[in-house]
Amino acid sequence: MLEHAAGQPWIYPVLLVFFFIDGFATILPSETAIVGLSALAMHRGEPNLWFLGATALVGAMAGDNVAFLLGRKIGLDRWKWMRKPKVKKMFSWAHYELDKRGAVLIFTARYIPWGRVAVNYVAGQTGFRHRTFFLLDAFACLTWVGYSIGIGSLAGHWVHNNPLLGVGIAVAFAVVLGVIVDHSLRWWHKRLEKRDAEKEAASAEGAGPAVNAAAGRDR
């Protein structure tokens, strides 16, 4: 069924909707789809990798920008899933990081499934400039598509005689690498948060004597 679907022309509009929905509601495994089909393309020549990449890019960007506009229009607590503790914690993290380093966050969050949804909504809710968001998101989506197709193509190239085994290896490899990338980016952002906290603490300590001296002059 997978091999048959890969050669059908309707696969591209279906994937377009697939990637679009994943941009504002993480309920569909978009990485798995693009990686698996890329691996299959190495054996059958279908689907066309250029069409697959273009479809993923357009769908991902459209979904991300819809999330941005929804964040601007409805805020961060309209729907029940937004009020879950884990989601609210993710929103708080995105709000803090977006305020500190917006460009870096929008780029890196594309590789963190729940993280990118949170960042997209928060960017819209906080009034982040849409044009800037669009350009940063376009670059992030472009690299994400290349990264995903590269993983699938590499795994598919390893297994020449069994295309479905190549798909399985590609998906498993993508999951493992995705976990590593996810945790690495989270660790990096936490390290940046810790550095910010240390700088703020040092600034507060430096301001203390000046405040006391000013208070003494007032007295």
Side-chain angles (χ1 to χ4, degrees):
M1 289 176 62
L2 182 63
E3 291 179 321
H4 175 72
Q8 302 303 310
W10 51 260
I11 190 70
Y12 301 108
V14 169
L15 287 173
L16 183 66
V17 175
F18 198 91
F19 293 119
F20 170 69
I21 294 175
D22 189 58
F24 60 88
T26 309
I27 58 176
L28 298 173
S30 58
E31 284 88 354
T32 302
I34 189 171
V35 167
L37 289 170
S38 298
L40 196 59
M42 295 302 295
H43 297 271
R44 294 175 49 89
E46 295 174 328
N48 183 285
L49 286 180
W50 288 104
F51 289 163
L52 177 62
T55 301
L57 178 62
V58 172
M61 287 182 60
D64 288 351
N65 281 272
V66 165
F68 179 94
L69 295 175
L70 285 173
R72 177 166 292 182
K73 294 293 183 181
I74 68 174
L76 303 178
D77 58 0
R78 173 70 63 85
W79 294 320
K80 185 178 180 180
W81 66 268
M82 292 179 167
R83 297 190 289 272
K84 292 182 179 180
K86 183 179 180 180
V87 178
K88 290 185 72 68
K89 182 180 179 181
M90 187 66 74
F91 280 148
S92 298
W93 167 80
H95 197 295
Y96 174 84
E97 289 292 321
L98 196 63
D99 183 57
K100 291 289 184 179
R101 42 195 153 261
V104 173
L105 181 65
I106 291 171
F107 176 77
T108 57
R110 186 11 84 172
Y111 295 82
I112 307 174
W114 268 108
R116 65 170 172 257
V117 173
V119 169
N120 295 340
Y121 276 102
V122 171
Q125 189 267 338
T126 55
F128 197 88
R129 191 181 179 192
H130 192 191
R131 182 180 178 182
T132 303
F133 174 85
F134 181 88
L135 294 175
L136 291 171
D137 181 66
F139 181 64
C141 288
L142 184 63
T143 60
W144 173 78
V145 168
Y147 155 85
S148 301
I149 290 179
I151 291 175
S153 300
L154 181 62
H157 185 71
W158 285 343
V159 184
H160 296 284
N161 300 322
N162 193 327
L164 294 185
L165 179 59
V167 171
I169 292 174
V171 171
F173 185 61
V175 169
V176 172
L177 189 59
V179 170
I180 294 173
V181 170
D182 186 352
H183 282 76
S184 298
L185 291 175
R186 290 177 188 273
W187 172 82
W188 183 48
H189 281 288
K190 286 182 179 179
R191 184 178 180 183
L192 292 176
E193 288 179 20
K194 184 178 180 181
R195 186 182 301 173
D196 291 339
E198 291 174 350
K199 287 182 179 179
E200 290 175 1
S203 299
E205 291 177 0
V211 171
N212 292 335
R217 287 197 297 272
D218 290 341
R219 285 196 295 271

